[in-house]
Amino acid sequence: MLKLRKRSSRTHTFHMTAQIIDGKALAAEVRAEVAQRTATLKASGITPGLAVILVGDNPASQVYVRNKVKACTDCGMHSVLEQYDASMSEEDLLARVQSLNADPSIHGILVQLPLPAHINAQKVIEAISPAKDVDGFHVASAGALMTGLPGFLPCTPYGCMKMLEHINYPLKGKHAVVIGRSNIVGKPMAMMLLAQDATVTICHSRTPDLKAHTLQADVIVAAVGRRNLVTADMVKPGAAVLDVGMNRNDAGKLCGDVDFEGVKEVAGYITPVPGGVGPMTIAMLLANTLQAATNR
Ligand code: NAP
């Protein structure tokens, strides 16, 4: 009979919890820098201006647009919020966009999504002048990102990249797994990681074995909108985990796609929700608006 030798010495596992990337603090730094550069630009006679259009009365959208407009004015920019009834016609909305395209006091135009079902959102986005496309959703901006040309980067993945830059994360040669393939988060995120020489895998709802992919990842970006999608057993020890998701838990509290409590025991870096990617998104919108004004 084979006798198994008992291990006499105890094995020690040295365990450290993840470093939390404080999106709120980093966003404040970005906003302070934007404010300073806005002041300089204003001294030369240009006040960066952002126009935000909201159609309908989606309560979440109302909070977002108010936050965006307030963030603009807080850092010294000019900002206008145009609110319209849900019954606004596509034609009228397109006409508003055209008139903002021609308005020299406006450098950035943002149409809050989602739009009412009778309006073709992509058509409206394509009506925005690419020079004022501070959300980075125009096909010209997407094409520029794809081909490595300068253009506006979508704010959420741009904010994620800022967070990785902040921790000096060496992306070159690393394996990044992006979960989600939307035009506003997943796809541009993958392109930005690729541009920094990461090897990128994009997972989505038809990916059969998500865990098999995430376990290989040095960087995980979760952008799905499903609570507890990423759990500790799916994460390689030391990985950087960025949580873009915005969900509510049973108590109605904001939470991400990542099981924060579990994953922070395994990951090397993790972003919290709230206080992670969310504040960075607004900060990068300000950075893009400043950029648009500077480009003029
Ligand atoms: P979206 O357009 O609904 O896209 C979700 C993506 O997740 C889709 O590509 C979908 O795959 C994929 N997916 C769905 N179930 C999945 C599963 N079980 N496993 C793997 N992938 C799955 O959403 P989004 O606009 O990209 O936003 C994603 C999340 O980020 C949402 O929670 C949103 O609220 C949040 N968000 C946060 C910010 C911020 O500032 N913090 C900004 C934008 C969005 P298919 O393509 O196959 O359907």
Side-chain angles (χ1 to χ4, degrees):
M1 198 176 87
L2 189 78
K3 222 175 158 190
L4 289 171
R5 227 173 94 201
K6 262 194 178 171
R7 279 168 94 178
S8 54
S9 63
R10 277 202 296 153
T11 46
H12 293 273
T13 45
F14 291 98
H15 195 73
M16 274 168 65
T17 57
Q19 182 185 321
I20 293 167
I21 309 176
D22 185 344
K24 211 175 154 190
L26 182 57
E29 275 179 38
V30 172
R31 285 164 70 153
E33 194 192 322
V34 169
Q36 197 184 5
R37 288 172 54 199
T38 297
T40 310
L41 202 60
K42 280 166 91 171
S44 74
I46 302 163
T47 301
L50 175 74
V52 179
I53 301 181
L54 174 63
V55 184
D57 47 17
N58 180 318
S61 293
Q62 281 178 334
V63 175
Y64 297 151
V65 295
R66 257 185 261 127
N67 288 343
K68 288 169 185 176
V69 168
K70 184 177 181 297
C72 264
T73 34
D74 283 353
C75 71
M77 293 182 181
H78 165 60
S79 184
V80 289
L81 173 58
E82 298 192 6
Q83 293 201 66
Y84 298 103
D85 199 82
S87 64
M88 182 187 212
S89 71
E90 182 182 283
E91 195 188 350
D92 286 348
L93 179 54
L94 290 170
R96 271 316 300 149
V97 169
Q98 291 304 349
S99 106
L100 291 166
N101 281 342
D103 184 340
S105 74
I106 296 299
H107 304 93
I109 302 169
L110 184 158
V111 179
Q112 185 65 41
L113 302 178
L115 286 168
H118 66 276
I119 298 177
N120 180 337
Q122 199 57 41
K123 194 170 166 187
V124 175
I125 290 166
E126 300 315 331
I128 297 171
S129 161
K132 299 190 178 188
D133 177 39
V134 287
D135 249 344
F137 296 164
H138 195 286
V139 71
S141 303
L145 173 58
M146 185 86 171
T147 44
L149 294 171
F152 292 111
L153 299 174
C155 304
T156 300
Y158 189 9
C160 290
M161 294 305 286
K162 266 275 169 221
M163 291 172 123
L164 290 171
E165 186 190 305
H166 177 69
I167 59 168
N168 285 316
Y169 192 88
L171 277 169
K172 194 177 195 156
K174 292 288 165 52
H175 185 191
V177 170
V178 178
I179 318 171
R181 56 173 163 180
S182 70
N183 288 338
I184 65 171
V185 190
K187 272 193 250 176
M189 184 78 245
M191 283 301 137
M192 288 178 213
L193 291 162
L194 185 62
Q196 295 293 315
D197 298 327
T199 301
V200 183
T201 301
I202 306 174
C203 297
H204 47 78
S205 71
R206 304 302 164 97
T207 301
D209 188 356
L210 183 61
K211 181 177 170 178
H213 295 282
T214 56
L215 274 176
Q216 305 289 320
D218 302 303
V219 177
I220 298 173
V221 182
V224 170
R226 221 173 119 156
R227 223 178 113 190
N228 292 336
L229 180 81
V230 178
T231 46
D233 59 310
M234 298 168 73
V235 177
K236 182 164 92 173
V241 180
L242 308 190
D243 191 354
V244 178
M246 284 203 298
N247 312 294
R248 299 267 165 199
N249 68 14
D250 293 334
K253 265 187 68 187
L254 195 64
C255 66
D257 289 349
V258 175
D259 168 29
F260 183 82
E261 290 307 321
V263 171
K264 82 172 191 325
E265 301 301 325
V266 183
Y269 299 93
I270 190 166
T271 67
V273 178
V277 176
M280 290 303 293
T281 297
I282 294 197
M284 302 330 287
L285 171 67
L286 301 177
N288 278 350
T289 304
L290 175 71
Q291 185 64 52
T294 310
N295 290 347
R296 279 282 130 149

PDB file of all heavy atoms in Angstrom, residues 27-44:
ATOM      1  N   ALA A  27     -10.215  61.525  -9.179  1.00  0.00           N
ATOM      2  CA  ALA A  27     -11.070  62.425  -9.953  1.00  0.00           C
ATOM      3  C   ALA A  27     -10.901  63.865  -9.467  1.00  0.00           C
ATOM      4  O   ALA A  27     -10.868  64.803 -10.271  1.00  0.00           O
ATOM      5  CB  ALA A  27     -12.529  61.990  -9.846  1.00  0.00           C
ATOM      6  N   ALA A  28     -10.771  64.034  -8.165  1.00  0.00           N
ATOM      7  CA  ALA A  28     -10.574  65.379  -7.618  1.00  0.00           C
ATOM      8  C   ALA A  28      -9.262  65.986  -8.122  1.00  0.00           C
ATOM      9  O   ALA A  28      -9.200  67.178  -8.443  1.00  0.00           O
ATOM     10  CB  ALA A  28     -10.591  65.331  -6.088  1.00  0.00           C
ATOM     11  N   GLU A  29      -8.236  65.144  -8.234  1.00  0.00           N
ATOM     12  CA  GLU A  29      -6.949  65.616  -8.770  1.00  0.00           C
ATOM     13  C   GLU A  29      -7.101  66.046 -10.230  1.00  0.00           C
ATOM     14  O   GLU A  29      -6.605  67.096 -10.630  1.00  0.00           O
ATOM     15  CB  GLU A  29      -5.904  64.486  -8.724  1.00  0.00           C
ATOM     16  CG  GLU A  29      -5.189  64.346  -7.408  1.00  0.00           C
ATOM     17  CD  GLU A  29      -4.181  63.181  -7.451  1.00  0.00           C
ATOM     18  OE1 GLU A  29      -3.526  62.974  -8.495  1.00  0.00           O
ATOM     19  OE2 GLU A  29      -4.095  62.471  -6.433  1.00  0.00           O
ATOM     20  N   VAL A  30      -7.778  65.208 -11.010  1.00  0.00           N
ATOM     21  CA  VAL A  30      -7.977  65.527 -12.435  1.00  0.00           C
ATOM     22  C   VAL A  30      -8.779  66.827 -12.548  1.00  0.00           C
ATOM     23  O   VAL A  30      -8.448  67.718 -13.339  1.00  0.00           O
ATOM     24  CB  VAL A  30      -8.711  64.374 -13.167  1.00  0.00           C
ATOM     25  CG1 VAL A  30      -9.089  64.772 -14.586  1.00  0.00           C
ATOM     26  CG2 VAL A  30      -7.856  63.106 -13.180  1.00  0.00           C
ATOM     27  N   ARG A  31      -9.812  66.948 -11.745  1.00  0.00           N
ATOM     28  CA  ARG A  31     -10.670  68.141 -11.809  1.00  0.00           C
ATOM     29  C   ARG A  31      -9.916  69.399 -11.406  1.00  0.00           C
ATOM     30  O   ARG A  31     -10.124  70.465 -12.003  1.00  0.00           O
ATOM     31  CB  ARG A  31     -11.909  67.944 -10.932  1.00  0.00           C
ATOM     32  CG  ARG A  31     -12.901  66.994 -11.587  1.00  0.00           C
ATOM     33  CD  ARG A  31     -13.933  66.471 -10.640  1.00  0.00           C
ATOM     34  NE  ARG A  31     -14.885  67.478 -10.222  1.00  0.00           N
ATOM     35  CZ  ARG A  31     -16.133  67.205  -9.841  1.00  0.00           C
ATOM     36  NH1 ARG A  31     -16.573  65.960  -9.831  1.00  0.00           N
ATOM     37  NH2 ARG A  31     -16.939  68.167  -9.479  1.00  0.00           N
ATOM     38  N   ALA A  32      -9.035  69.271 -10.419  1.00  0.00           N
ATOM     39  CA  ALA A  32      -8.241  70.433 -10.004  1.00  0.00           C
ATOM     40  C   ALA A  32      -7.323  70.879 -11.137  1.00  0.00           C
ATOM     41  O   ALA A  32      -7.163  72.080 -11.393  1.00  0.00           O
ATOM     42  CB  ALA A  32      -7.439  70.090  -8.749  1.00  0.00           C
ATOM     43  N   GLU A  33      -6.744  69.900 -11.835  1.00  0.00           N
ATOM     44  CA  GLU A  33      -5.859  70.242 -12.944  1.00  0.00           C
ATOM     45  C   GLU A  33      -6.657  70.875 -14.084  1.00  0.00           C
ATOM     46  O   GLU A  33      -6.217  71.854 -14.690  1.00  0.00           O
ATOM     47  CB  GLU A  33      -5.135  68.984 -13.426  1.00  0.00           C
ATOM     48  CG  GLU A  33      -3.961  69.310 -14.321  1.00  0.00           C
ATOM     49  CD  GLU A  33      -3.404  68.083 -15.034  1.00  0.00           C
ATOM     50  OE1 GLU A  33      -3.354  67.003 -14.420  1.00  0.00           O
ATOM     51  OE2 GLU A  33      -3.039  68.242 -16.220  1.00  0.00           O
ATOM     52  N   VAL A  34      -7.835  70.329 -14.346  1.00  0.00           N
ATOM     53  CA  VAL A  34      -8.692  70.898 -15.392  1.00  0.00           C
ATOM     54  C   VAL A  34      -9.073  72.335 -15.020  1.00  0.00           C
ATOM     55  O   VAL A  34      -9.043  73.239 -15.864  1.00  0.00           O
ATOM     56  CB  VAL A  34      -9.956  70.027 -15.624  1.00  0.00           C
ATOM     57  CG1 VAL A  34     -10.969  70.746 -16.502  1.00  0.00           C
ATOM     58  CG2 VAL A  34      -9.582  68.684 -16.250  1.00  0.00           C
ATOM     59  N   ALA A  35      -9.389  72.559 -13.753  1.00  0.00           N
ATOM     60  CA  ALA A  35      -9.779  73.899 -13.293  1.00  0.00           C
ATOM     61  C   ALA A  35      -8.634  74.898 -13.509  1.00  0.00           C
ATOM     62  O   ALA A  35      -8.860  76.022 -13.971  1.00  0.00           O
ATOM     63  CB  ALA A  35     -10.174  73.850 -11.819  1.00  0.00           C
ATOM     64  N   GLN A  36      -7.434  74.435 -13.199  1.00  0.00           N
ATOM     65  CA  GLN A  36      -6.274  75.309 -13.359  1.00  0.00           C
ATOM     66  C   GLN A  36      -6.050  75.658 -14.829  1.00  0.00           C
ATOM     67  O   GLN A  36      -5.829  76.819 -15.184  1.00  0.00           O
ATOM     68  CB  GLN A  36      -5.063  74.573 -12.784  1.00  0.00           C
ATOM     69  CG  GLN A  36      -3.883  75.467 -12.490  1.00  0.00           C
ATOM     70  CD  GLN A  36      -2.685  74.638 -12.023  1.00  0.00           C
ATOM     71  OE1 GLN A  36      -2.729  73.400 -12.006  1.00  0.00           O
ATOM     72  NE2 GLN A  36      -1.625  75.327 -11.654  1.00  0.00           N
ATOM     73  N   ARG A  37      -6.145  74.646 -15.675  1.00  0.00           N
ATOM     74  CA  ARG A  37      -5.930  74.887 -17.101  1.00  0.00           C
ATOM     75  C   ARG A  37      -7.095  75.676 -17.717  1.00  0.00           C
ATOM     76  O   ARG A  37      -6.904  76.434 -18.677  1.00  0.00           O
ATOM     77  CB  ARG A  37      -5.683  73.566 -17.832  1.00  0.00           C
ATOM     78  CG  ARG A  37      -4.295  73.000 -17.480  1.00  0.00           C
ATOM     79  CD  ARG A  37      -4.067  71.609 -18.021  1.00  0.00           C
ATOM     80  NE  ARG A  37      -4.307  71.506 -19.448  1.00  0.00           N
ATOM     81  CZ  ARG A  37      -4.526  70.361 -20.091  1.00  0.00           C
ATOM     82  NH1 ARG A  37      -4.561  69.231 -19.421  1.00  0.00           N
ATOM     83  NH2 ARG A  37      -4.717  70.363 -21.386  1.00  0.00           N
ATOM     84  N   THR A  38      -8.279  75.509 -17.149  1.00  0.00           N
ATOM     85  CA  THR A  38      -9.430  76.305 -17.604  1.00  0.00           C
ATOM     86  C   THR A  38      -9.190  77.781 -17.301  1.00  0.00           C
ATOM     87  O   THR A  38      -9.465  78.660 -18.141  1.00  0.00           O
ATOM     88  CB  THR A  38     -10.719  75.815 -16.904  1.00  0.00           C
ATOM     89  OG1 THR A  38     -10.964  74.464 -17.304  1.00  0.00           O
ATOM     90  CG2 THR A  38     -11.926  76.669 -17.271  1.00  0.00           C
ATOM     91  N   ALA A  39      -8.652  78.047 -16.111  1.00  0.00           N
ATOM     92  CA  ALA A  39      -8.369  79.432 -15.719  1.00  0.00           C
ATOM     93  C   ALA A  39      -7.367  80.073 -16.677  1.00  0.00           C
ATOM     94  O   ALA A  39      -7.526  81.227 -17.090  1.00  0.00           O
ATOM     95  CB  ALA A  39      -7.846  79.465 -14.277  1.00  0.00           C
ATOM     96  N   THR A  40      -6.364  79.311 -17.061  1.00  0.00           N
ATOM     97  CA  THR A  40      -5.354  79.813 -17.996  1.00  0.00           C
ATOM     98  C   THR A  40      -5.990  80.123 -19.349  1.00  0.00           C
ATOM     99  O   THR A  40      -5.734  81.178 -19.950  1.00  0.00           O
ATOM    100  CB  THR A  40      -4.227  78.762 -18.183  1.00  0.00           C
ATOM    101  OG1 THR A  40      -3.780  78.350 -16.894  1.00  0.00           O
ATOM    102  CG2 THR A  40      -3.075  79.309 -18.981  1.00  0.00           C
ATOM    103  N   LEU A  41      -6.833  79.194 -19.809  1.00  0.00           N
ATOM    104  CA  LEU A  41      -7.503  79.375 -21.097  1.00  0.00           C
ATOM    105  C   LEU A  41      -8.434  80.594 -21.058  1.00  0.00           C
ATOM    106  O   LEU A  41      -8.511  81.381 -22.014  1.00  0.00           O
ATOM    107  CB  LEU A  41      -8.283  78.097 -21.443  1.00  0.00           C
ATOM    108  CG  LEU A  41      -8.617  77.843 -22.907  1.00  0.00           C
ATOM    109  CD1 LEU A  41      -7.346  77.744 -23.747  1.00  0.00           C
ATOM    110  CD2 LEU A  41      -9.411  76.542 -23.050  1.00  0.00           C
ATOM    111  N   LYS A  42      -9.121  80.743 -19.924  1.00  0.00           N
ATOM    112  CA  LYS A  42     -10.036  81.883 -19.780  1.00  0.00           C
ATOM    113  C   LYS A  42      -9.275  83.197 -19.830  1.00  0.00           C
ATOM    114  O   LYS A  42      -9.751  84.188 -20.392  1.00  0.00           O
ATOM    115  CB  LYS A  42     -10.828  81.774 -18.468  1.00  0.00           C
ATOM    116  CG  LYS A  42     -12.007  80.817 -18.562  1.00  0.00           C
ATOM    117  CD  LYS A  42     -12.559  80.477 -17.219  1.00  0.00           C
ATOM    118  CE  LYS A  42     -13.678  81.417 -16.772  1.00  0.00           C
ATOM    119  NZ  LYS A  42     -14.322  80.897 -15.537  1.00  0.00           N
ATOM    120  N   ALA A  43      -8.079  83.185 -19.245  1.00  0.00           N
ATOM    121  CA  ALA A  43      -7.245  84.392 -19.253  1.00  0.00           C
ATOM    122  C   ALA A  43      -6.871  84.776 -20.683  1.00  0.00           C
ATOM    123  O   ALA A  43      -6.635  85.945 -20.984  1.00  0.00           O
ATOM    124  CB  ALA A  43      -6.000  84.166 -18.399  1.00  0.00           C
ATOM    125  N   SER A  44      -6.839  83.785 -21.586  1.00  0.00           N
ATOM    126  CA  SER A  44      -6.532  84.102 -22.982  1.00  0.00           C
ATOM    127  C   SER A  44      -7.807  84.365 -23.784  1.00  0.00           C
ATOM    128  O   SER A  44      -7.774  84.454 -25.011  1.00  0.00           O
ATOM    129  CB  SER A  44      -5.706  82.965 -23.605  1.00  0.00           C
ATOM    130  OG  SER A  44      -6.523  81.853 -23.856  1.00  0.00           O
TER     131      SER A  44
END
